Amino acid sequence: MPGGHKFWRDTAILALIAAAARLIFLRLLPAGVESVDLHSWQLVALELRAGRNPYHTTPFLNWPPLWMQIIAVIDNASQVLRIPFATLLRLFLIVADVSGIIAAHRLAIFLEAKKARAIVLFGLALNPICILLVCQHANFDTIVALAVLLAVSAVLRFVRSEDPVDWLYASLAIGIGTLAKTIPIILIPLLSARWKTLDHRTRILGALLLLGPVALGLSIVFTLAPQDILQKVIQYRSLGGVFGASGIFAATVNAQAARMVRIVLLLVLAAVVILATMRTARRDSNDGPSLLLLAAFLLIGIILFGPGYGPQYIAWFLPLLVLTATSFDAVWRRILVVWGVVAVLTYLTEYLLLRSHGSLLLHLRPQQNFAWTGALATSSGLTLLRLPLFLAYCALWGKAAALLMRRNGDASTA
């Protein structure tokens, strides 16, 4: 387990650097740089303050109710502390993000990763993508990322210790993450690692911890507005046609064919999840890097095969990818570096120019005419802008699949 003076010193340094970078960026951010999402959270807070149900009166809440509850707490705190809601919300997200960096460093030390401090420092603490997502976009996917990290850490501890309590912690972490967004439910294959060592009572309790939080949360808001929850949450499919296969098909074929392609892609994703669960359960041993890679592999699959896309989704698996940087072969490292460079360039372009993301450059240079960015913000424009990133994701996902299959083969012949 991580411990000792050096670990805590390095962790403190990483946390301070990460917090300082985000606070400096926030301090330098021009007034008015707000994403559409941040504006949406302000409207949700106003609805809650007026005693109305934002699931019914706004289209902004498409997930289980954890984020709505956090918005309510932040709004009440902002009134008591007399701090603007947007500022306090960003500070909360910075705390969550720095907590994720601490969890990532702890996990890197647990896995005995080479150059753990360096990869966390440059891959997460100083990564411009992470800073932009938290300070400018201000979406809550950093909470999902923290839940994912805690779940993966607990699974790895369970694989090493075979202590059922660690497996239960993993189930709870996925359950809490699912209460924020349903995405972490795709990590169920990780819970099948060493499944046979658990008794039936532990498995039942784990299922309750996994599904209980989201079932309870959704049941309450469903009772208040059943039709809204059905349409806005249960049937929610994110924003399609702006990235990868869905964007390409939306721009080149008719809508009917595009819908069929999306259905096929979802079936592919379901098959991948089932296959991953079966392989993980069959293996007698699951090494840490492989389970880490499997989690990232499943989450990236949502971007490649899911029905929609948002730039904030990278937060779910970015820490996992960073932690695999020194765990596999040189080809993986090269692909990871290329993907990282393409991702940074793509995100800088989006957050500098797109009004939906806050358009930082437009606020820095208000005298310039950026009318041409309107074409960039169309479905076709976004798909073209993100095409290099999509191809990099495909290469990354394909190499991850090859690595996981090879490790499975090595384990089966050992």
Side-chain angles (χ1 to χ4, degrees), residues 278-296:
M278 293 173 61
R279 284 187 172 274
T280 305
R282 279 205 306 262
R283 293 180 63 186
D284 294 328
S285 62
N286 291 275
D287 62 282
S290 288
L291 286 172
L292 202 66
L293 186 61
L294 175 60

Side-chain angles (χ1 to χ4, degrees), residues 211-247:
L211 302 175
V214 67
L216 180 60
L218 277 179
S219 67
I220 295 172
V221 292
F222 184 86
T223 302
L224 296 174
Q227 194 62 31
D228 291 301
I229 299 303
L230 181 63
Q231 293 180 352
K232 298 176 183 178
V233 179
I234 297 176
Q235 297 178 1
Y236 177 64
R237 295 297 180 269
S238 187
L239 180 63
V242 295
F243 178 81
S246 67

Side-chain angles (χ1 to χ4, degrees), residues 247-292:
I248 294 171
F249 282 103
T252 58
V253 301
N254 60 61
Q256 181 86 17
R259 281 194 294 270
M260 292 300 297
V261 169
R262 291 182 186 180
I263 293 173
V264 171
L265 292 177
L266 283 174
L267 292 175
V268 171
L269 180 59
V272 167
V273 172
I274 293 171
L275 181 61
T277 304
M278 293 173 61
R279 284 187 172 274
T280 305
R282 279 205 306 262
R283 293 180 63 186
D284 294 328
S285 62
N286 291 275
D287 62 282
S290 288
L291 286 172
L292 202 66

Side-chain angles (χ1 to χ4, degrees), residues 239-244 247-248 309 311 346 349-350 353-357 373-390:
L239 180 63
V242 295
F243 178 81
I248 294 171
Y309 172 83
T346 302
T349 302
E350 291 194 21
L353 299 177
L354 296 181
R355 297 182 186 277
S356 59
H357 296 17
T373 60
L376 192 64
T378 63
S379 296
S380 299
L382 290 172
T383 299
L384 185 60
L385 170 64
R386 294 163 174 169
L387 184 58
L389 181 59
F390 171 67

Side-chain angles (χ1 to χ4, degrees), residues 176-223:
I176 297 299
T178 305
L179 186 59
K181 277 192 174 181
T182 52
I183 294 305
I185 203 74
I186 202 171
L187 297 181
I188 283 180
L190 272 68
L191 297 177
S192 64
R194 294 192 181 275
W195 169 265
K196 297 177 182 179
T197 65
L198 301 169
D199 59 37
H200 294 305
R201 291 184 302 170
T202 302
R203 294 174 183 176
I204 293 172
L205 180 56
L208 292 174
L209 293 173
L210 176 69
L211 302 175
V214 67
L216 180 60
L218 277 179
S219 67
I220 295 172
V221 292
F222 184 86
T223 302

